[in-house]
C-alpha cells in the first residue's frame, strides 16, 4: 500500500500479493478513439495474472441512451458476481497509463458498497515495462456473490445539476481537456454543444498524474486549488461521459475530501440538450 495515497497500491505490493486470498484484480482500461488503443484486445494479449476485464461500455444501465450511465445496483451485482468479485474482496483496479479510466471503476465499486478498493500505481504499461508477470491465459473465475450497498448520495442527477448550476451550492469540477471546456474544440460525440456549465472549473484529468503516478498530496492539493476549487467546500465532478470525472473524485478522496458527488450524465447529457445553460470562452 502507498504511504502517500490511501487508495493506491504499488506494483511491488501487488506482485508480492498475487496469491493473497480475497484479492480481485480488475483491468478497467478504456480509451477514447483518438488514443487508438483497444482495451479488450490488449487484455486478451496480456494481463496481470488472475485479472478480469471490466468492460466500461457494457457495465452500464441498459435502459439509458447515455454512453456510460451507472447501472442499477442489481445490474452491477450481476456483472460483478460474474467476474468473481465480492464486495468484501480487496479489489485492485488498473488501466494502461495509470490514472485515466481506472478511477471510474474504483468509484463504481465504492459507490456500490465495496470498501477495500485501490488503483495500481503506474498502471499496466509500467507493470509490463518492469517485466513483471503477465499472461494471455483466460482467468478462471471462481463463484462469487457481490452484495451491493448503493450510496446514491454520491451520484448527481440532471435535475440536481440544474439546481447546483442555479444556486452554486456545490463547486463544479470538469475533467475534460481545456479546449473542450472552453468550447474552442468540438466535442468528440456528434450532436453536442461545446463549452461548459456556468460556474464550472476546469481540472483536466491528465493534470492530476505524472508518468502514471498520482501527484504527491501537496502538488495534488495545489493543482485543485489553482483550478479554483475550495477544498473545504462541496464539489461535484463532471467530464464527457462520466469516466474521467472519477479522476477528480479520486484526487479529492485521496486528500480527505468527502463531500463530493459525480455527475454521471456529464457532458454527454448536459451538452446534448437544448434546455441546459452552456458557457463558452467568448461569453
Amino acid at each position: 500500500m502507498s504511504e502517500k495515497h490511501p487508495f493506491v497500491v504499488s506494483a511491488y505490493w501487488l506482485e508480492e500479493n498475487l496469491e493473497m486470498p480475497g484479492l480481485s484484480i480488475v483491468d478497467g482500461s478504456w480509451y477514447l478513439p483518438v488514443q487508438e488503443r483497444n482495451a479488450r484486445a490488449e487484455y486478451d494479449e496480456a494481463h496481470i495474472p488472475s485479472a478480469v476485464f471490466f468492460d466500461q461500455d457494457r457495465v452500464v444501465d441498459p435502459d439509458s441512451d447515455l454512453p456510460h450511465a451507472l447501472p442499477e445496483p442489481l445490474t452491477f451485482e450481476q456483472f460483478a458476481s460474474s467476474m468473481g468479485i465480492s464486495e468484501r474482496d480487496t479489489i485492485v483496479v488498473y488501466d494502461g497509463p495509470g490514472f485515466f479510466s481506472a478511477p471510474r471503476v474504483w468509484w463504481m465499486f465504492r459507490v456500490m458498497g465495496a470498501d477495500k478498493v485501490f488503483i495500481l500505481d503506474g498502471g499496466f504499461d509500467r507493470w509490463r515495462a518492469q517485466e513483471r508477470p503477465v499472461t494471455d491465459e483466460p482467468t478462471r473465475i471462481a463463484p462469487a456473490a457481490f452484495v451491493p450497498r448503493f450510496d446514491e448520495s454520491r451520484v448527481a442527477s440532471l435535475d440536481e445539476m440544474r439546481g447546483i448550476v442555479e444556486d452554486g451550492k456545490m463547486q463544479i469540477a470538469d475533467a475534460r481537456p481545456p479546449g473542450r471546456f472552453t468550447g474552442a474544440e468540438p466535442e468528440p460525440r456528434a450532436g453536442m454543444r461545446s463549452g461548459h456549465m456556468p460556474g464550472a472549473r476546469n481540472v483536466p484529468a491528465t493534470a492530476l498524474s505524472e508518468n502514471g503516478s498520482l501527484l504527491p498530496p501537496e502538488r495534488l492539493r495545489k493543482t485543485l486549488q489553482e483550478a479554483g476549487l475550495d477544498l473545504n467546500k462541496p464539489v461535484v465532478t463532471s467530464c464527457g461521459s462520466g469516466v474521467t470525472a472519477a479522476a477528480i473524485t479520486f484526487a479529492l478522496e485521496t486528500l480527505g475530501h468527502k463531500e463530493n458527488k459525480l455527475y454521471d450524465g456529464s457532458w454527454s447529457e448536459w451538452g446534448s440538450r437544448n434546455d441546459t445553460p452552456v458557457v463558452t470562452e467568448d461569453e
Side-chain angles (χ1 to χ4, degrees):
M1 305 296 178
S2 170
E3 295 180 359
K4 295 180 180 179
H5 298 306
F7 306 115
V8 174
V9 298
S10 68
Y12 173 81
W13 182 91
L14 184 56
E15 185 174 0
E16 289 293 302
N17 289 276
L18 283 176
E19 304 298 327
M20 184 178 77
L23 174 68
S24 285
I25 306 173
V26 180
D27 184 331
S29 300
W30 175 86
Y31 300 106
L32 292 164
V34 296
Q35 293 172 285
E36 297 183 340
R37 294 181 67 168
N38 184 313
R40 179 72 211 205
E42 289 187 18
Y43 170 84
D44 289 339
E45 177 191 309
H47 52 267
I48 296 174
S50 80
V52 295
F53 185 72
F54 188 106
D55 190 335
Q56 296 203 51
D57 290 323
R58 290 187 64 240
V59 187
V60 297
D61 180 355
D63 297 323
S64 174
D65 58 359
L66 298 173
H68 294 114
L70 186 70
E72 294 293 321
L74 179 59
T75 302
F76 188 87
E77 173 188 339
Q78 293 168 342
F79 274 112
S81 298
S82 71
M83 288 184 275
I85 302 171
S86 162
E87 82 284 355
R88 300 182 302 275
D89 287 350
T90 297
I91 303 169
V92 176
V93 185
Y94 70 86
D95 61 26
F99 286 92
F100 180 70
S101 60
R104 169 71 180 191
V105 180
W106 172 88
W107 176 79
M108 290 174 76
F109 274 110
R110 297 255 299 174
V111 83
M112 289 295 174
D115 295 322
K116 297 178 290 185
V117 194
F118 306 89
I119 292 179
L120 173 64
D121 183 39
F124 187 66
D125 293 350
R126 185 189 297 172
W127 177 279
R128 199 168 190 182
Q130 293 175 341
E131 299 185 346
R132 298 184 186 275
V134 301
T135 183
D136 61 358
E137 292 293 322
T139 295
R140 294 182 179 179
I141 297 175
F146 188 99
V147 181
R149 301 188 309 275
F150 179 47
D151 185 357
E152 62 179 327
S153 70
R154 307 306 297 273
V155 186
S157 65
L158 173 63
D159 286 342
E160 189 171 5
M161 283 307 302
R162 290 184 192 275
I164 290 169
V165 167
E166 186 173 333
D167 62 31
K169 288 184 179 179
M170 292 187 78
Q171 303 168 97
I172 304 169
D174 189 323
R176 291 176 300 153
R180 289 170 59 191
F181 177 83
T182 62
E185 298 175 4
E187 285 297 306
R189 295 180 179 87
M192 287 188 200
R193 293 173 292 166
S194 297
H196 57 268
M197 294 174 237
R201 303 291 186 174
N202 191 205
V203 186
T206 53
L208 302 173
S209 62
E210 191 173 76
N211 300 321
S213 292
L214 194 65
L215 295 179
E218 286 311 308
R219 286 184 60 193
L220 200 58
R221 185 180 303 276
K222 183 179 180 183
T223 298
L224 294 170
Q225 290 173 335
E226 288 182 346
L229 296 182
D230 184 341
L231 299 183
N232 294 312
K233 295 181 179 179
V235 178
V236 59
T237 64
S238 181
C239 62
S241 64
V243 175
T244 58
I248 306 177
T249 303
F250 187 84
L252 291 168
E253 293 280 337
T254 291
L255 296 173
H257 186 286
K258 301 298 183 185
E259 202 171 351
N260 59 75
K261 297 173 180 277
L262 188 149
Y263 173 30
D264 196 49
S266 283
W267 201 253
S268 294
E269 183 172 51
W270 192 273
S272 64
R273 300 180 66 91
N274 294 320
D275 59 351
T276 49
V278 171
V279 177
T280 65
E281 61 182 356
D282 297 327
E283 297 178 57

